[in-house]
Each structure stands twice: as structure tokens, then as C-alpha cells.
Amino acid sequence: MRTKLKQENESRALRGGFFVVRQITQVGLCVVIFVMALYTDTARAHGKVAMEEDSCMRRIGENIIHLSTYQPQVDEEGHYCTDIPKAGNAILVIDLVDPSLREMPIGMKIVKGSKVEEGETVSNIRPALYQDGVISTQSLLDQGKYLVLITAEGVPPLNYEYHLRVEMINYAEVFRAWIGPVVGLLLATILGYKLFRSRRFREWAGSRESKKH
């Protein structure tokens, strides 16, 4: 009888052990899948995305332009859009995606501040034709906010705006960077607590404790 009871206890403990392992595995998979999905969305926002989803693109009707910002002194291979990591020299490159824009005189103005009327003009490029489809300029930008205004002298004129942030904390980026690990940890804690409170876990833990004695 004792042998049979011992076998039943061992069998119950073994089943409890499998249950614990399965639950821990499921928790881990849930956390990994959640974090990977979150970071995939974040990467798409900064990596290779469709033109319609690109935050660096501006569209008026079928007329499309695209902004890329470079700071070789900070990162030789890095490129940015409107959030520029450091004050200093910045190279702004405007791609005239729509070929029709290459037949219009294009002017470009960079203003320190958020409004053209209230800000100080940092750079002012007179309207000209850019048949290669690329406008490139380099400016010395201090910390703060800037407005980039691109004007295509069509009929009617087309005005594109970019609001730059130079060496400023992007709280949206910080939130995206931290929300995945925090939520993953919270999810693991909740599921771990439920696992710890489950009857099978307590039976399994009790059987292991009794084996030690």
C-alpha cells in the first residue's frame, strides 16, 4: 500500500512538474511574441516602410517630396528625419519624388522656431530648378525647434512643411522603447503569480520539499 501511495505521489509530482514547465514555457512565449511584435512595429516606423507610411514624406495631391537628414560627425551611416540627435552641422536632403516637381522652381527656407512669421531665418535658398530631383543644403543648427518650408512655384504654389527637433528628448520614442519590456515584465509577473497560486504548482512544490526530507 505504501509503495502504491508513493508511486501515486511521484506520478502526481511528475504531472505537476510537467504542468509547471508548460506554464513557464507559455508565459515566456507570450512575452517574447509581444515584445517582438512591438519592436517590429517600431522598426517599421524607422526602417524600410511603404511610401504611404513614411513619416518623412510630404504629399500634396500627387506631388510628393521626402526629407532625409544626416550628421556624419555623429554617425557616418545614420540618417534621420525630423528628430536630429545633436546640435551642430546637419545636412538636409530633399528628394523630389514626383517628376513634375523637377520642372518647377523650388525654394527652401529654414526658420528657427515653429512659425515662419515669428522665427529667425537660418537659411534661405532661392527658387531654382532641380532636374536631378535632389535639393541638398547644410546648416548649423542649435538645440531647439526649427521649421523647414519647401515651396514649389507651381499653379497654385505648393508649400511643404517639416518641423525639426534638434537635440531634444522624443518622449514618443522613449515610450516605445520602454513599453515593451515593462508590459512584458508585468505580464510575466501576473502569469507567474497565477502559476504560483495554482493548486498543481503547490502540490509539485510540496512533493519536491518532502523529497528533501
Side-chain angles (χ1 to χ4, degrees), residues 15 68 82 136 160 163 176 212:
R15 289 196 302 271
S68 296
T82 55
S136 179
Y160 303 89
H163 291 271
R176 278 197 293 265
K212 293 180 181 180

Side-chain angles (χ1 to χ4, degrees), residues 66-150:
H66 184 275
L67 169 67
S68 296
T69 307
Y70 302 88
Q71 282 194 313
Q73 72 276 17
V74 176
D75 185 347
E76 292 184 358
E77 299 181 358
H79 69 278
Y80 316 96
C81 183
T82 55
D83 284 294
I84 302 173
K86 295 292 183 181
N89 288 322
I91 301 171
L92 279 68
V93 178
I94 302 293
D95 292 310
L96 306 176
V97 180
D98 183 10
S100 64
L101 290 171
R102 304 173 190 182
E103 305 301 324
M104 304 179 192
I106 307 290
M108 181 175 174
K109 180 182 288 188
I110 302 175
V111 176
K112 186 171 185 179
S114 301
K115 295 182 180 179
V116 176
E117 303 80 9
E118 301 175 0
E120 174 189 352
T121 299
V122 175
S123 177
N124 191 6
I125 301 176
R126 296 174 63 105
L129 293 176
Y130 297 90
Q131 295 184 347
D132 61 352
V134 178
I135 306 172
S136 179
T137 184
Q138 180 172 318
S139 295
L140 182 63
L141 304 179
D142 297 327
Q143 183 182 25
K145 295 182 179 181
Y146 291 82
L147 173 65
V148 179
L149 179 64
I150 299 100

Side-chain angles (χ1 to χ4, degrees), residues 22-35:
R22 186 174 70 249
Q23 290 295 101
I24 292 174
T25 302
Q26 290 175 351
V27 170
L29 285 175
C30 288
V31 173
V32 170
I33 291 172
F34 177 83
V35 173

Side-chain angles (χ1 to χ4, degrees), residues 175-206:
F175 177 78
R176 278 197 293 265
W178 281 97
I179 188 63
V182 169
V183 173
L185 180 61
L186 181 61
L187 179 62
T189 301
I190 294 173
L191 294 179
Y193 175 76
K194 289 184 176 181
L195 174 63
F196 179 78
R197 297 286 294 176
S198 67
R199 180 175 58 83
R200 288 188 180 182
F201 179 83
R202 292 198 300 272
E203 289 178 352
W204 175 76

Side-chain angles (χ1 to χ4, degrees), residues 1-13 211:
M1 179 66 70
R2 290 183 178 178
T3 302
K4 184 177 180 180
L5 183 60
K6 182 178 180 181
Q7 290 177 346
E8 289 178 355
N9 290 336
E10 289 178 350
S11 177
R12 187 180 301 110
K211 284 182 179 181

